[in-house]
């Protein structure tokens, strides 16, 4: 199946030079240009099943190791406080403080995991969007009906559409660390005026059940469909009323469903 290259610096997905061979059976032609997002020249071919599997294992190990380090650190701090307290304040009071410290450490365990995973939520491991970070949304610059001269298909549901976005998360991670954030679209126009570039799609995401099409798509991104993943998809149909928001840095804008 056609698979992109992934930047090992930031996770950007790039189709790279196909040279008429989307399966790359003639040998891998690794891109020679740097990543357009972070400038890293290090690429990994997700079409190589062994390389993709190794990358996935490293990502899952990193997710688990970070959580363990934070939890162990909280436990160590609680034990250190408890060990010093009896000598300073006497055994009965020290025992009480030990229990309190351990209780606080265990109560904070979930909070620590949430904070750790919030970093992963801001930085997906694999992504292809006009912007990686959440941009500051400005005023509405245009509203109207979105049209296009062609159609595409949403990769998870297979629905015909003019634009789509998918969000794949690790179900077992606190709040669901983002494994993949990607969107695609055909050239879009609003009330007959063509947009100069693809906007960031800020559309309502809906849960998407697993399917053969979804499994194929995940495998093409180097993800194992058998992992505990949650799948969400947003689909933009032609003739939908939308609003285009300005962003205060680079980017073609943010496209939202028009309200009111």
């Amino acid at each position: 199946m056609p698979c992109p290259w992934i930047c090992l610096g930031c996770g950007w997905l790039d189709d790279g030079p196909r040279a008429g061979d989307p399966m790359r059976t003639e040998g891998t032609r690794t891109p020679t240009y740097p990543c357009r997002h972070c400038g890293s020249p290090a690429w990994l071919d997700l079409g190589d099943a062994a390389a993709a599997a190794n990358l996935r294992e490293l990502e899952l190990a990193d997710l688990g190791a970070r959580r363990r380090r934070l939890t162990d650190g909280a436990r160590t701090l609680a034990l250190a406080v408890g060990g010093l307290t009896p000598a300073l304040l006497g055994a009965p009071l020290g025992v009480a403080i030990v229990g309190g410290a351990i209780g606080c450490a265990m109560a904070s365990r979930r909070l620590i995991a949430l904070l750790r995973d919030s970093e992963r939520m801001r930085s997906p491991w694999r992504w292809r969007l006009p912007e990686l970070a959440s941009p500051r949304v400005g005023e509405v610059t245009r509203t109207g009906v979105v049209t296009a001269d062609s159609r595409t298909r949403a990769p998870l549901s297979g629905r015909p559409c003019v634009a789509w976005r998918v969000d794949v998360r690790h179900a077992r991670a606190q709040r669901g660390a983002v494994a993949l954030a990607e969107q695609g679209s055909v050239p879009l126009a609003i009330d007959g005026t063509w947009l100069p570039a693809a906007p960031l799609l800020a559309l309502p995401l809906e849960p998407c059940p697993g399917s053969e099409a979804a499994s194929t798509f995940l495998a093409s991104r180097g993800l194992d469909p058998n992992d505990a993943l949650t799948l969400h998809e947003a689909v933009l149909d032609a003739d939908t009323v939308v609003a285009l928001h300005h962003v205060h840095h680079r980017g073609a804008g943010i496209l939202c469903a028009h309200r009111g």
Side-chain angles (χ1 to χ4, degrees), residues 121-165:
M121 290 182 70
R122 292 191 299 271
S123 301
W125 278 318
R126 303 148 196 258
W127 65 280
R128 180 155 52 191
L129 304 169
E131 293 291 341
L132 173 61
S134 298
R136 188 159 58 96
V137 181
E139 67 278 2
V140 175
T141 59
R142 192 183 309 172
T143 60
V145 176
V146 66
T147 57
D149 288 341
S150 58
R151 298 290 185 271
T152 184
R153 284 188 177 273
L156 300 182
S157 65
R159 282 181 53 187
C161 59
V162 296
W164 54 266
R165 177 165 175 167

Side-chain angles (χ1 to χ4, degrees), residues 62-150:
D62 177 62
L63 180 64
R66 285 172 179 262
R67 186 177 296 107
R68 286 193 299 273
R69 285 197 296 269
L70 289 170
T71 303
D72 291 346
R75 186 181 297 111
T76 300
L77 177 61
L79 293 176
V81 171
L84 292 174
T85 301
L88 296 176
L89 302 177
L93 182 59
V95 170
I97 293 180
V98 169
I102 293 176
C104 289
M106 298 306 292
S108 65
R109 179 177 178 178
R110 179 173 176 79
L111 176 60
I112 290 171
L114 289 175
L115 292 174
R116 210 291 308 164
D117 282 335
S118 68
E119 177 184 351
R120 280 300 186 197
M121 290 182 70
R122 292 191 299 271
S123 301
W125 278 318
R126 303 148 196 258
W127 65 280
R128 180 155 52 191
L129 304 169
E131 293 291 341
L132 173 61
S134 298
R136 188 159 58 96
V137 181
E139 67 278 2
V140 175
T141 59
R142 192 183 309 172
T143 60
V145 176
V146 66
T147 57
D149 288 341
S150 58

